Amino acid sequence: MKTLSLATFLMVLALSAAPALTAQTPSFTVEADHPIAKVSPSLYGLMTEEINHSYDGGIYGELILDRTPGDSWDALNSWPMVARGNSAAKVSIDGATAPGAALKRSLRVAVTAAAADAPAGVENGGYWGIPVRPKTIYTGSFYAKTDVPGLAVTVTLENDQTGAVAAKTVVTGLTREWKQYTYTLRTGDAPVSEKYHLLLTITQPATVWFDLVSLFPPTYHGRPEGDRIDLMNLLAAMHPKFLRLPGGNYLEGDHIADRFDWEKTIGPWVDRPTHQGPWSYRSSDGMGLLEFLDWCEDLKMEPVLAVYAGYSLHGEHVDPGPALAPYVQDALDEIEYVTGDTTTKWGAERAKDGHPAPFPLHYVEVGNEDFFDRSHSYDGRFAQFDRAIKQRYPNLQIIATTPVKGVTPDVIDEHYYMSAEESFAQAHHYDKTDRTGPKIFVGEWATREGSPTPDLEAALGDAAWLTGLERNSDIVVMASYAPLFVNVNPGAMQWAPDLIGYDALASYGSPSYWTQVLFATHLGTEVVASTLASAPERVFASVTRDAAKHKLFVKVVNANSTAQPLAIALTGVAKLAPEATLTTLSGKTPNATNSLAHPDAVVPTERKIPVAGPKFTLTFAPYSVNVLELHD
Ligand code: AHR
C-alpha cells in the first residue's frame, strides 16, 4: 500500500467534497453493538494449480525449462545445441538411457570436435529468460554420464545479447554411470536482467548425457529448491488461511493417466516421472505434494487437500464399487502422508522426504467440478470416498464439488466466474441461503474483466461480491479466487484474468489482488447489522467488528463514475476515537489496471479522517473500494 502525498490528499478531499450533500444523501446505519453472525476466520485463502505457468515458470523457483526432456516432438526446443568456433555437436533425445526408472529419456550431446577456445554442448533459456541479479548465489545440479571418464563440464550463465558471463564453474570427473553433480554459481556485478541462458559445454570430443538439469536462485525463507521470493511476499500480504491444492482441472487431468498422481510427485526428483497437465504443457512435478505442504507451512496456511475422485476432464470415469476402491485407498494414503505420524507407513515416508512433523489438515475435497461428469457417477463416488475417509478420519470435513444425493456433505464447493455486472448482481447471492444445509466453500471465483490480469472494473465486481461473502461468512466458510497466477509472457497464459502477473524477473498484484489484501487485512470476527438505505445501484457495503481489538471495519464499494456521499450513523458505540483510517483503492476509469510496466497504477492509499461523533457524512470516490477502520 502507498501513503498519499499532500497534493494527492488535497485532490482526494476536493473530489470527496464535490457533490452537494442534500436531504437525499443515502444513509448507512451501522449497529455496532449488534453482531448478527460470526466471521469465518478461514474465509480468505488461495486456490492453486499448474496453469499459466503457475509453478514451472512461476512460484516454483526452478529456473531451467524442461529440466527433464519431455516426450513430445518439440522436446529439444528447450535445449538448443551450442557449437562455438570450429566445434561440432549433435543433440538428441535418447529414449534408451535415463538416471532412474521413473524417467524415460535423457539428453544426448555428441560432441565430435571441441577445444578450450571452441566449446560445444547445449543451452537452456529458462522460462522466458533466466533472471540474473548481481552478487547472488545460484545453486544447481544435474545428472550426467559420459563415454570419456573424467570429462569436465563447464556451467556458464551467459547474457543472451552481449555474451557477457555472469558466472561460471566447472564440474569435473564424470563417469560412465549416471551420477548427480551439484554446482554453485556466484554472480559479481552482473546487471539485473532476465536475458540470460545457462550453458553446459565441454572442451573435447565426447558424448555426454544429461538429465534433471537444475538451477535455483535464493528462495523464500531460504528453503532449498523452494519458492520464488517476490511471489511469496505478494501472497503473504494477502494473509491467506488455506491453500486449495492441487487444482482445479490439474487434479483431474485430461485422462485418468494424467491425473495428479500424488505418489509420483514425492521423493527425489529422479523418482518423479513428470506428467502431462491439462493446460497444454508438461509438469516437472517439482511442485509435488510435499512442496505444496511446505508452501502452506511457509505462509502459515492449512492445506485444503483435493483428492482425485475417479473422473477426468475428457469424460473417463471410474464406477463406484470395487473399481474405485484403489483410488479411495490412494486418497487415504495421501491423507496419511499429510497428517500421519512417523509410525505410520506414509508418515514415515514423509519423514524420509524431509518433514517428520505432520501437517494440520481439516478439509478434504473429493474431486473437482464433478457436475461435468455426464456418467452421473458422482453420487456413488462421493459416498464411497466420504464413508472411507470419515471412518478413518472422523474429524475431517469432507467437501463435495456439487450437491450429492444420499449423503449430506459437510461442505459444498461452488465456483463463480462472472462479468462485473454479474458480480454486482450476485452481491446478495448468499443473503438468503438456508443455514441448515452444508457449509459453502467458494473454491473458485473471479470477476472476469481484463487480461492478463483483472482491471479496476473487475476489482469493483470482486469487492461487491466479497461484501456478500463476508456478510454471510457464517455459512461461506472459505473462499479463494482463481486462477491465482499468470506468467505474462506471450504463450504462457491459458486463462485470463489471473490475480497476480509476472515474468522471470518481476511481478505485480492486479487491482483485484489489492481488493483481496484490503478485505483480508480488515477481516474482523463478527458481522454487525447494517442498513444501506436508498443508495443508488452499484453501491455495496458490509461491516464487521473485532470486539477484542475494539475495531470496526466498514467496507464500502462505489462502482459508479460519480462520488458517493453516505450519511453514516453508528449506533451502540459508547466511545469513538476522534480519528479513523480510510483506505481506498480507486482509479480514473474502470479499465485502469496494473502491469509489469506500471505495477502501482491502482493500489490502495491510506488517509486519516477526523470523526467528530457517531454521525458523519463520508464521500466515497468514483470507482472505489474503501475500508474505514474505526476504533474506540
Ligand atoms: O480456474 C480455472 C479452471 O476453472 C479450473 O481448473 C477449473 O476447476 C475451473 O473450471
Side-chain angles (χ1 to χ4, degrees):
M1 282 185 221
K2 70 182 180 193
T3 313
L4 279 187
S5 69
L6 182 63
T8 327
F9 175 58
L10 291 174
M11 203 182 76
V12 171
L13 269 188
L15 248 184
S16 305
L21 301 182
T22 65
Q24 281 84 47
T25 299
S27 69
F28 186 35
T29 308
V30 176
E31 297 170 55
D33 61 343
H34 183 192
I36 52 172
K38 290 257 180 266
V39 172
S40 167
S42 56
L43 182 57
Y44 298 120
L46 307 174
M47 186 271 172
T48 177
E49 67 175 319
E50 182 58 288
I51 184 174
N52 307 318
H53 286 273
S54 291
Y55 310 149
D56 292 347
I59 195 164
Y60 180 55
E62 177 64 82
L63 297 177
I64 301 302
L65 169 66
D66 297 338
R67 67 185 181 191
T68 305
D71 59 358
S72 59
W73 61 270
D74 59 352
L76 276 181
N77 283 358
S78 335
W79 293 101
M81 182 262 283
V82 174
R84 301 271 159 92
N86 291 331
S87 65
K90 188 168 179 311
V91 180
S92 56
I93 301 291
D94 192 337
T97 181
L103 302 177
K104 299 282 171 262
R105 59 197 77 81
S106 59
L107 199 61
R108 182 175 187 272
V109 185
V111 174
T112 47
D117 60 349
V122 280
E123 68 177 65
N124 189 288
Y127 294 93
W128 295 271
I130 293 185
V132 164
R133 293 181 169 82
K135 302 205 171 19
T136 304
I137 299 175
Y138 296 79
T139 51
S141 62
F142 56 74
Y143 281 81
K145 70 171 192 176
T146 182
D147 61 353
V148 179
L151 188 73
V153 174
T154 304
V155 187
T156 313
L157 264 179
E158 187 183 74
N159 188 285
D160 299 343
Q161 289 153 341
T162 63
V165 171
K168 187 184 233 177
T169 191
V170 180
V171 174
T172 55
L174 267 61
T175 71
R176 289 186 189 279
E177 306 304 322
W178 280 107
K179 252 182 77 183
Q180 189 181 25
Y181 300 86
T182 58
Y183 62 90
T184 302
L185 290 172
R186 286 186 167 76
T187 59
D189 292 326
V192 177
S193 169
E194 82 287 16
K195 298 200 179 331
Y196 277 83
H197 54 272
L198 188 82
L199 290 170
L200 297 174
T201 53
I202 57 176
T203 55
Q204 66 181 93
T207 298
V208 54
W209 288 260
F210 291 108
D211 213 331
L212 283 166
V213 182
S214 170
L215 181 69
F216 273 77
T219 56
Y220 190 73
H221 286 178
R223 200 181 265 287
E225 291 141 12
D227 295 327
R228 194 171 139 168
I229 295 170
D230 58 338
L231 295 180
M232 287 293 272
N233 282 335
L234 280 166
L235 297 182
M238 294 174 72
H239 294 262
K241 293 294 183 294
F242 65 87
L243 180 69
R244 176 177 175 236
L245 66 93
N249 291 352
Y250 184 62
L251 168 74
E252 306 166 82
D254 280 345
H255 304 281
I256 295 176
D258 302 327
R259 70 192 184 279
F260 183 82
D261 197 348
W262 70 273
E263 235 187 282
K264 295 183 176 156
T265 73
I266 57 171
W269 298 341
V270 73
D271 296 333
R272 303 184 193 188
T274 76
H275 80 285
Q276 179 62 40
W279 295 105
S280 81
Y281 57 97
R282 200 168 177 86
S283 169
S284 74
D285 287 330
M287 181 63 82
L289 180 57
L290 185 57
E291 286 78 11
F292 279 116
L293 298 170
D294 288 341
W295 176 2
C296 290
E297 188 168 84
D298 282 348
L299 294 186
K300 301 185 174 53
M301 317 178 275
E302 269 203 21
V304 170
L305 183 68
V307 295
Y308 180 75
Y311 172 74
S312 291
L313 291 163
H314 286 196
E316 291 165 21
H317 80 279
V318 183
D319 280 324
L324 193 64
Y327 295 90
V328 174
Q329 185 57 48
D330 216 39
L332 294 173
D333 292 345
E334 186 174 7
I335 296 168
E336 188 174 283
Y337 185 88
V338 177
T339 64
D341 65 35
T342 52
T343 62
T344 63
K345 175 180 170 205
W346 288 106
E349 194 67 27
R350 187 196 59 239
K352 204 170 98 204
D353 293 341
H355 201 289
F359 291 90
L361 181 72
H362 288 93
Y363 291 96
V364 170
E365 178 159 8
V366 177
N368 177 61
E369 294 191 338
D370 288 85
F371 44 83
F372 282 120
D373 175 9
R374 295 286 162 252
S375 75
H376 304 294
S377 60
Y378 190 59
D379 289 344
R381 289 189 287 112
F382 179 82
Q384 198 169 335
F385 275 89
D386 185 62
R387 203 166 38 245
I389 298 172
K390 279 274 195 233
Q391 195 177 10
R392 175 108 163 258
Y393 300 100
N395 293 330
L396 284 179
Q397 296 281 293
I398 312 299
I399 305 172
T401 69
T402 188
V404 280
K405 294 195 196 89
V407 209
T408 307
D410 298 308
V411 184
I412 303 240
D413 179 2
E414 299 186 349
H415 295 177
Y416 297 90
Y417 291 104
M418 303 169 284
S419 66
E421 284 311 324
E422 285 166 339
S423 295
F424 298 142
Q426 293 298 323
H428 294 276
H429 180 82
Y430 288 110
D431 287 356
K432 300 266 177 311
T433 300
D434 171 22
R435 265 46 187 177
T436 60
K439 300 280 188 199
I440 312 278
F441 171 29
V442 185
E444 294 180 29
W445 68 270
T447 306
R448 298 188 71 185
E449 311 277 352
S451 178
T453 48
D455 59 16
L456 180 58
E457 176 86 357
L460 293 166
D462 288 350
W465 169 250
L466 287 179
T467 60
L469 298 193
E470 186 180 270
R471 245 191 342 266
N472 293 287
S473 69
D474 58 322
I475 177 101
V476 180
V477 288
M478 296 183 291
S480 43
Y481 185 101
L484 180 61
F485 285 138
V486 62
N487 185 316
V488 300
N489 277 292
M493 181 177 80
Q494 293 84 44
W495 179 292
D498 307 286
L499 199 63
I500 291 170
Y502 47 86
D503 64 6
L505 204 56
S507 53
Y508 67 96
S510 63
S512 291
Y513 163 84
W514 287 110
T515 295
Q516 287 190 55
V517 170
L518 277 185
F519 273 70
T521 51
H522 300 91
L523 182 60
T525 54
E526 291 161 308
V527 181
V528 302
S530 62
T531 315
L532 193 53
S534 50
E537 283 182 1
R538 294 167 62 114
V539 175
F540 307 89
S542 74
V543 187
T544 59
R545 73 177 191 183
D546 187 326
K549 293 187 179 149
H550 305 271
K551 284 185 177 175
L552 193 64
F553 303 113
V554 180
K555 296 176 184 104
V556 175
V557 183
N558 175 20
N560 295 303
S561 59
T562 51
Q564 179 62 57
L566 288 183
I568 297 176
L570 308 174
T571 65
V573 282
K575 231 170 91 201
L576 197 57
E579 196 179 64
T581 306
L582 179 64
T583 310
T584 300
L585 179 81
S586 66
K588 286 203 177 70
T589 63
N591 58 2
T593 199
N594 295 335
S595 62
L596 280 178
H598 302 286
D600 296 332
V602 186
V603 294
T605 56
E606 201 178 282
R607 67 181 163 119
K608 301 286 178 206
I609 58 160
V611 179
K615 287 191 175 183
F616 55 95
T617 294
L618 199 58
T619 299
F620 296 95
Y623 304 127
S624 67
V625 179
N626 307 273
V627 181
L628 179 65
E629 181 178 325
L630 300 133
H631 54 101
D632 58 25

